[in-house]
């Protein structure tokens, strides 16, 4: 059964929401919950926490839904197992299933952003009996591919190293990030936001030249408009406390995921679905072919939206618009 969390710092609390710890296999997941009605499970990406859904929680609650934003294992106040393989996709899907059951619900709509989008997609794919609708923000749904992920990532970038490959070596990215967590997060958030992205002649932060650091190409300037100093404090305090290893271990499991999920080669998602991407978000533009394939891969797609002038942090950059799109879609799903 859900248990109250240890008292959080006031800065993490979302007004009107309840914080809980719920039991899952091997540990506990922390979540922020608001509202009553059909359950909507909100899953964040890298490097964020449940706090990234702070704008949508009250909107969904007001619209008649029970919105629950989790800290994915390895993040925030959720448990962080030591083995790298504990962060494989099947374990994260199992966490979502356990959260649903712990909250006393039989089914849920699952909504994810960034890595959370992939977690949402696989939750719907592996347990369609429980996750009866799914929404994907920034990262489009793409079925299993016969190309081993690490092999594919290694071919991207030519003489420079693609950021996923950079993240895959245990301890390497931690050595760059953890001496200055707040500064690194500020640079990463700023570099992927509309209006504060680095100029093209500075080079993409997604590619790392030999001997360089990822942060060497981060934008240098003020925070994006969606991120206050207080908000940055919330994120940085959580990662200062937990470190980045749990979050980065998601990247270190992509080949395990590929092996685990091979039986779903070419699988389509038939549940009612929604996609929202940012026109300036590389996660969306790189996977434009996946969006174009939606008539085949997402036969239950209700609507797809590309927000002009929007970067990667979509539910924070365009909080009002995303809240409205989610609510409109949910009303269709639950009509």
């Amino acid at each position: 059964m859900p248990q109250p969390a240890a008292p959080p710092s006031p800065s993490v609390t979302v007004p009107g929401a309840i914080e809980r710890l719920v039991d899952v296999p091997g540990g506990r997941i922390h979540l922020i919950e608001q509202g009553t009605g059909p359950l909507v499970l909100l899953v964040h990406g890298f490097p964020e926490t449940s706090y990234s859904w702070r704008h949508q929680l009250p909107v969904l609650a007001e619209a008649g839904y029970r919105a629950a934003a989790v800290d994915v294992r390895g993040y925030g106040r959720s448990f962080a197992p030591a083995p790298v393989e504990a962060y494989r996709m099947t374990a994260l899907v199992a966490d979502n299933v356990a959260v649903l059951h712990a909250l006393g619900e039989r089914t849920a709509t699952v909504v994810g952003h960034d890595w959370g989008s992939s977690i949402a997609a696989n939750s719907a794919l592996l347990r369609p009996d429980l996750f009866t609708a799914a929404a994907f923000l920034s990262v489009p749904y793409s079925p299993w591919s016969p190309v081993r992920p690490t092999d594919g990532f290694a071919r991207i970038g030519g003489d420079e190293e693609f950021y996923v490959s950079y993240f895959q070596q245990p301890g390497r990215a931690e050595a760059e990030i953890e001496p200055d967590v707040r500064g690194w997060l500020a640079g990463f958030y700023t570099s992927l936001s509309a209006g504060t992205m680095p100029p093209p002649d500075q080079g993409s932060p997604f590619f790392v030249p030999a001997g360089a650091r990822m942060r060497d190409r981060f934008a240098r300037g003020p925070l994006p408009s969606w991120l206050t100093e207080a908000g940055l404090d919330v994120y940085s305090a959580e990662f200062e406390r937990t470190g980045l290893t749990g979050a980065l271990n998601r990247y270190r499991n992509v080949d395990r995921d590929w092996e685990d999920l091979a039986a779903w080669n070419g699988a389509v998602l038939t549940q009612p679905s929604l996609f929202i991407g940012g026109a300036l978000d590389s996660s969306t533009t790189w996977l434009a072919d996946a969006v174009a394939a939606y008539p085949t891969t997402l036969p239950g797609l209700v609507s797809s939206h590309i927000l002009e002038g929007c970067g990667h942090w979509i539910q924070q950059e365009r909080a009002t618009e995303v809240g409205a799109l989610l609510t409109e879609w949910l009303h269709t799903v639950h009509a």
Side-chain angles (χ1 to χ4, degrees), residues 29-314:
I29 291 293
H30 171 259
L31 60 86
I32 308 173
E33 176 189 349
Q34 191 166 359
T36 59
L39 179 62
V40 180
L41 193 64
L42 304 168
V43 189
H44 67 82
F46 175 89
E48 299 176 280
T49 67
S50 54
Y51 183 72
S52 69
W53 299 103
R54 62 196 177 279
H55 302 298
Q56 284 73 45
L57 283 165
V59 170
L60 296 181
E62 178 66 25
Y65 300 96
R66 183 184 187 185
V70 299
D71 286 343
V72 174
R73 68 165 65 187
Y75 286 85
R77 296 162 193 274
S78 291
F79 78 123
V84 173
E85 62 270 20
Y87 297 84
R88 67 203 317 153
M89 183 60 72
T90 52
L92 302 180
V93 171
D95 286 346
N96 280 353
V97 171
V99 167
L100 185 154
H101 289 151
L103 293 178
E105 301 287 352
R106 299 179 63 182
T107 61
T109 295
V110 61
V111 179
H113 170 255
D114 184 79
W115 267 120
S117 178
S118 297
I119 298 169
N122 283 285
S123 296
L125 186 66
L126 273 61
R127 295 302 306 266
D129 56 322
L130 301 179
F131 300 102
T132 54
F136 317 114
L137 275 59
S138 294
V139 175
Y141 173 66
S142 183
W144 187 92
S145 165
V147 178
R148 181 178 290 274
T150 292
D151 295 340
F153 294 137
R155 293 196 291 266
I156 299 174
D159 294 335
E160 298 182 342
E161 187 175 15
F162 191 48
Y163 81 103
V164 176
S165 301
Y166 185 76
F167 283 169
Q168 285 182 316
Q169 182 180 333
R172 184 182 181 193
E174 288 94 325
E176 173 184 334
I177 302 169
E178 292 181 354
D180 178 21
V181 169
R182 193 178 194 279
W184 195 92
L185 291 175
F188 193 65
Y189 297 148
T190 300
S191 297
L192 277 62
S193 298
T196 56
M197 294 177 179
D201 60 2
Q202 186 175 309
S204 171
F206 290 112
F207 298 94
V208 184
R213 305 170 302 170
M214 190 175 176
R215 71 183 303 159
D216 293 339
R217 287 181 168 173
F218 284 173
R220 302 173 182 87
L223 294 176
S225 59
W226 64 266
L227 182 62
T228 64
E229 294 287 347
L232 179 58
D233 287 342
V234 171
Y235 284 127
S236 61
E238 292 292 87
F239 287 108
E240 288 279 8
R241 183 173 54 80
T242 64
L244 272 292
T245 296
L248 289 162
N249 279 343
R250 177 84 289 277
Y251 295 90
R252 297 162 186 163
N253 276 279
V254 292
D255 285 348
R256 290 187 183 92
D257 298 341
W258 182 77
E259 294 166 357
D260 290 344
L261 300 171
W264 283 268
N265 181 11
V268 303
L269 286 177
T270 59
Q271 297 98 313
S273 56
L274 168 73
F275 175 69
I276 312 173
L280 303 179
D281 183 3
S282 296
S283 297
T284 297
T285 57
W286 284 338
L287 294 171
D289 288 347
V291 176
Y294 277 171
T296 299
T297 61
L298 291 179
L301 183 70
V302 174
S303 61
S304 179
H305 309 268
I306 303 296
L307 306 186
E308 293 300 323
C310 184
H312 181 66
W313 317 105
I314 189 164

